[in-house]
C-alpha cells in the first residue's frame, strides 16, 4: 500500500485533486465576477456623474429662475415704493397748494373788505350793480359788501366773500403754482 502524502499548499490546506480540477473554472468565474463588478462600478460611477451633472444643471436653473424672480419682485417693490412716494409727494404738494390758496383767499378777503370800506370803491360797486340790474334795490351786507335785488327776484351777491370767490374762480389755478 502506498500512501500519498500530500504536500501542504501555501495556505496550509493540503492539495485536493478534485478541488484543483475546478481551479480553472473558479478562476474564470472569479474573472467574470470581477469583470462584471468592474463594469457595474463603471456604470454606477457614470450614472453618479450623470446624476450629479443633472443636479448641478437643475440647481443652476433654479438659481437663475430665483434670481429672475427676485429681480422681478425687486422691480415690483421698487415700482410700488416709487408710486407710493410720488403719491405722498403729490399729497404734500396738494396740501401745500390748498394751504396757499386758503391764505390767498383770507388775504384777499381782508383786502376786499378794506377796499369796500373806502367810499369811492363802495360807490363804484353800487354804480356797477345798478348798471347790471336797473331798478334794483341795494342793501349793505355785514362784511362791507352790497346785495342788489330787483322786484322780479333777480339778485346779485356782491358780498366780500362772493367777490373774492368769483375773482379766484376766474384765475387759472394752474398758473398760481407755476414758478415766477
Amino acid at each position: 500500500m502506498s500512501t500519498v502524502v500530500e504536500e501542504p499548499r501555501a495556505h496550509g490546506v493540503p492539495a485536493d485533486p478534485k478541488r484543483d480540477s475546478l481551479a480553472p473554472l473558479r478562476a474564470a468565474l472569479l474573472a467574470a465576477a470581477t469583470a462584471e463588478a468592474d463594469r457595474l462600478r463603471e456604470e454606477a460611477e457614470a450614472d453618479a456623474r450623470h446624476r450629479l451633472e443633472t443636479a448641478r444643471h437643475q440647481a443652476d436653473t433654479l438659481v437663475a429662475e430665483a434670481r429672475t424672480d427676485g429681480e422681478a419682485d425687486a422691480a415690483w417693490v421698487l415700482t410700488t415704493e416709487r408710486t407710493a412716494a410720488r403719491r405722498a409727494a403729490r399729497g404734500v404738494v396738494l396740501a401745500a397748494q390748498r394751504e396757499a390758496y386758503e391764505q390767498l383767499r383770507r388775504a384777499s378777503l381782508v383786502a376786499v373788505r378794506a377796499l369796500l370800506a373806502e367810499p369811492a370803491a363802495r360807490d363804484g360797486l353800487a354804480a356797477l350793480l345798478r348798471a347790471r340790474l336797473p331798478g334794483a334795490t341795494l342793501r349793505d351786507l355785514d362784511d362791507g359788501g352790497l346785495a342788489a335785488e330787483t322786484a322780479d327776484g333777480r339778485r346779485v351777491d356782491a358780498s366780500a366773500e362772493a367777490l373774492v370767490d368769483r375773482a379766484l374762480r376766474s384765475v387759472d389755478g394752474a398758473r398760481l403754482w407755476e414758478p415766477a
Side-chain angles (χ1 to χ4, degrees), residues 76-91:
W76 180 83
V77 167
L78 182 60
T79 299
T80 301
E81 287 177 357
R82 282 181 179 162
T83 300
R86 275 194 302 274
R87 285 183 183 149
R90 181 69 178 146

Side-chain angles (χ1 to χ4, degrees), residues 7-172:
E7 291 187 24
R9 299 181 100 197
H11 304 318
V13 177
D16 179 0
K18 290 181 193 175
R19 194 173 146 152
D20 288 342
S21 66
L22 294 176
L25 178 60
R26 191 171 47 246
L29 287 174
L30 182 59
T34 301
E36 180 65 13
D38 288 345
R39 185 187 66 74
L40 290 174
R41 188 187 76 249
E42 287 173 8
E43 281 181 12
E45 287 175 355
D47 184 51
R49 281 190 302 273
H50 175 72
R51 288 177 185 234
L52 183 60
E53 184 60 35
T54 300
R56 283 183 181 146
H57 177 70
Q58 288 174 344
D60 290 345
T61 300
L62 289 173
V63 167
E65 288 173 359
R67 182 176 291 119
T68 299
D69 290 347
E71 289 170 355
D73 289 348
W76 180 83
V77 167
L78 182 60
T79 299
T80 301
E81 287 177 357
R82 282 181 179 162
T83 300
R86 275 194 302 274
R87 285 183 183 149
R90 181 69 178 146
V92 168
V93 167
L94 289 174
Q97 288 176 345
R98 182 68 185 165
E99 178 58 28
Y101 177 84
E102 290 300 325
Q103 286 178 0
L104 173 64
R105 186 175 183 279
R106 285 190 298 269
S108 298
L109 277 170
V110 169
V112 167
R113 285 181 182 132
L115 185 62
L116 291 175
E118 294 178 17
R122 188 170 182 77
D123 291 344
L125 178 60
L128 179 64
L129 290 173
R130 284 189 188 100
R132 294 275 171 109
L133 287 174
T137 303
L138 300 181
R139 69 182 163 90
D140 291 325
L141 298 175
D142 292 338
D143 69 356
L146 295 171
E149 187 170 355
T150 60
D152 62 2
R154 291 179 296 147
R155 201 170 178 265
V156 173
D157 180 2
S159 64
E161 282 196 18
L163 293 172
V164 167
D165 289 343
R166 226 175 278 135
L168 289 177
R169 274 195 304 270
S170 69
V171 173
D172 179 10

